């Protein structure tokens, strides 16, 4: 099956958003604010809600252990404000994108055009916030002025629109947050250590979820069964279908143009190692051992 233009636009542009949670700049900025990397992550991404408590963040982030979230929130709000964390995330993105792409590229006509395409899609998606709480909260944040930060913010909105739809698909399929990442690891497409550490689940909890998925016929050993592969494919298809309305106003030409503009930027980011989760994994591992 060929990739749809809307999925292509999201996939090719996503590294320009995802880097904000993985680059060294993130840990450095959070430390300067008195937060460890995971507390900084929960506060930065959850700041769109205001002083959100752990229940709301765990529910909308979905696959993190609620106990892990509760260690970070609401304690983070004793040392920072939501507005400061919104600004912190932009500060991280600014530093990382400028370091990877260079100031000249960040201010280029190509980045400005990509930003306007992504912004147009995000603004149209903002007319469809129903049932998408994390996305809806982000629609109320101010738009940055700089082209590379407008592109980052637009992709953040589009990613949260997609993410809320993905959670809806998981809930409908009866897959919990922990089960969703166990299945993801079972595909072989992602490092299990990264998810085990950063999501905060114990070895016993992970093993119990794995056994439950085996008993449902979704896993065979540590790999997906045929039924599990079909489920994963159906979940991805449902997520694509639910995300597509955000890109509808661009049409196929707009989606393809957005992908054309952002592909070289994302490739540069990936080649620079900015999606390497090692620093976040190591920091989270140290915190777990200390706890």
């Amino acid at each position: 099956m060929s990739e749809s233009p809307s999925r292509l636009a999201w996939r090719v542009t996503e590294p320009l958003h995802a880097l904000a949670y993985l680059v060294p700049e993130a840990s450095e900025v959070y430390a300067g604010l008195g937060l460890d990397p995971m507390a900084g992550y929960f506060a930065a991404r959850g700041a769109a809600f205001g002083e959100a408590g752990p229940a709301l963040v765990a529910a909308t982030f979905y696959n993190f252990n609620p106990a892990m979230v509760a260690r970070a929130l609401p304690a983070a709000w004793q040392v920072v404000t939501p507005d400061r964390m919104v600004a912190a995330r932009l500060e991280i993105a600014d530093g990382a994108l400028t370091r990877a792409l260079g100031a000249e590229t960040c201010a280029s006509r190509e980045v400005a055009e990509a930003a306007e395409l992504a912004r147009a899609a995000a603004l149209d998606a903002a007319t469809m916030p129903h049932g998408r709480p994390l996305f809806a909260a982000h629609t109320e944040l101010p738009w940055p002025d700089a082209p590379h930060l407008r592109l980052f913010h637009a992709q953040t909105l589009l990613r949260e629109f997609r993410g809320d739809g993905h959670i809806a698909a998981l809930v409908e399929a009866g897959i919990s947050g922990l089960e969703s990442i166990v299945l993801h690891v079972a595909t072989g497409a992602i490092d299990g250590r990264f998810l085990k550490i950063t999501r905060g689940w114990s070895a016993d909890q992970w093993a119990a979820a794995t056994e439950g998925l085996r008993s449902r016929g979704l896993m065979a050993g540590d790999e997906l069964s045929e039924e599990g592969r079909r489920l994963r494919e159906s979940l991805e298809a449902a997520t694509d279908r639910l995300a597509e309305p955000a890109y509808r106003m661009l049409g196929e030409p707009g989606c393809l143009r957005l992908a054309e503009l952002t592909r070289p930027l994302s490739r540069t980011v990936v080649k620079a190692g900015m999606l390497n989760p090692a620093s976040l994994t190591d920091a989270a591992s140290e915190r777990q051992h200390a706890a």
Side-chain angles (χ1 to χ4, degrees):
M1 181 183 298
S2 62
E3 187 174 33
S4 70
S6 60
R7 180 183 172 87
L8 175 67
W10 164 75
R11 179 180 60 79
V12 170
T13 311
E14 178 58 13
L16 304 177
H17 156 260
L19 61 77
Y21 302 118
L22 298 170
V23 291
E25 285 90 339
S27 295
E28 292 165 4
V29 169
Y30 298 152
L33 296 172
L35 300 173
D36 67 53
M38 290 310 301
Y41 165 76
F42 291 128
R45 190 176 169 210
F49 287 127
E51 291 190 8
L56 176 58
V57 169
T60 53
F61 288 22
Y62 199 66
N63 57 33
F64 291 84
N65 187 337
M68 184 186 202
V69 181
R71 289 195 293 268
L73 302 174
W77 306 129
Q78 301 302 310
V79 295
V80 292
T81 65
D83 284 348
R84 181 64 187 92
M85 292 311 296
V86 169
R89 185 167 60 173
L90 286 176
E91 181 182 340
I92 293 163
D94 184 23
L97 289 169
T98 301
R99 175 164 64 90
L101 305 176
E104 185 175 345
T105 296
C106 286
S108 67
R109 286 180 295 179
E110 290 79 8
V111 168
E113 183 184 351
E116 288 312 303
L117 285 168
R119 183 173 184 268
L123 289 175
D124 192 57
T127 68
M128 303 172 276
H130 311 87
R132 302 180 193 264
L134 191 51
F135 166 74
H138 277 78
T139 65
E140 297 183 332
L141 298 179
W143 282 87
D145 293 327
H148 65 300
L149 294 182
R150 283 204 307 273
L151 178 57
F152 168 79
H153 184 61
Q155 183 63 18
T156 300
L157 287 166
L158 293 168
R159 182 261 175 266
E160 300 299 6
F161 187 94
R162 180 182 179 85
D164 284 340
H166 183 59
I167 290 172
L170 290 169
V171 171
E172 194 278 333
I175 301 296
S176 72
L178 173 54
E179 289 171 336
S180 73
I181 57 175
V182 172
L183 289 172
H184 195 180
V185 171
T187 67
I190 191 167
D191 177 14
R193 180 174 178 269
F194 171 68
L195 289 181
K196 288 177 181 179
I197 292 175
T198 60
R199 269 51 179 178
W201 300 100
S202 70
D204 288 344
Q205 289 170 319
W206 191 279
T210 301
E211 187 55 40
L213 292 167
R214 290 181 187 130
S215 70
R216 293 164 63 181
L218 298 174
M219 289 182 64
D222 291 328
E223 299 179 351
L224 292 180
S225 65
E226 187 59 39
E227 185 176 351
R229 282 190 286 273
R230 285 195 296 269
L231 174 64
R232 281 277 306 175
E233 289 171 1
S234 70
L235 287 169
E236 284 301 302
T239 300
D240 287 344
R241 185 176 66 254
L242 292 170
E244 192 275 335
Y247 294 86
R248 196 169 292 159
M249 63 83 56
L250 293 182
E252 182 173 338
C255 288
L256 295 179
R257 178 58 176 163
L258 177 58
E260 179 185 14
L261 290 164
T262 58
R263 181 180 281 108
L265 307 175
S266 291
R267 283 178 174 168
T268 299
V269 162
V270 171
K271 287 180 180 178
M274 290 190 161
L275 297 187
N276 185 345
S279 60
L280 186 59
T281 300
D282 293 344
S285 181
E286 289 174 6
R287 183 181 181 191
Q288 280 190 345
H289 291 148

